[in-house]
Amino acid sequence: HEKPEVERNILHTHLNIMIKRLWFIITWPSAVLTLIFGIIVLFESGWLAVLFTADARWLQIKLLFVVLLYLYHFSLHRIFKQQMKGVFSYTSQQLMR
């Protein structure tokens, strides 16, 4: 925000283009394809039949982490929407952590 108005507008426009490309061309398609192929593997390999048995405790824990990863993805979508509105609540260093 310390740059002159013209330069700041150009940088903001360019940043929005890069954010949209990253989010809609890489991140969302990866999340959707991972979910689709994960469900296919779950059904086709027969893991669904043993999912709720004691032998599949590791699979239940793994699926819990997958759910947590998708919750994290949705929290990042909230940050994405804020940045598209021009609200930058986090510094670049905070986003790297």
Side-chain angles (χ1 to χ4, degrees), residues 22-88:
L22 175 66
W23 195 250
F24 290 118
I25 296 175
I26 297 173
T27 308
W28 265 108
S30 300
V32 171
L33 288 174
T34 302
L35 185 63
I36 290 170
F37 289 131
I39 291 171
I40 289 172
V41 167
L42 191 66
F43 280 100
E44 292 295 321
S45 65
W47 283 109
L48 192 61
V50 296
L51 182 62
F52 298 108
T53 65
D55 295 335
R57 186 72 58 202
W58 64 272
L59 182 59
Q60 294 169 353
I61 293 170
K62 187 175 181 178
L63 290 175
L64 174 68
F65 280 113
V66 170
V67 169
L68 292 175
L69 186 62
Y70 275 93
L71 291 175
Y72 174 69
H73 176 79
F74 291 126
S75 72
L76 292 179
H77 189 73
R78 186 176 53 92
I79 294 172
F80 166 77
K81 289 195 303 189
Q82 287 176 348
Q83 290 181 345
M84 287 298 104
K85 293 178 184 175
V87 177
F88 294 93

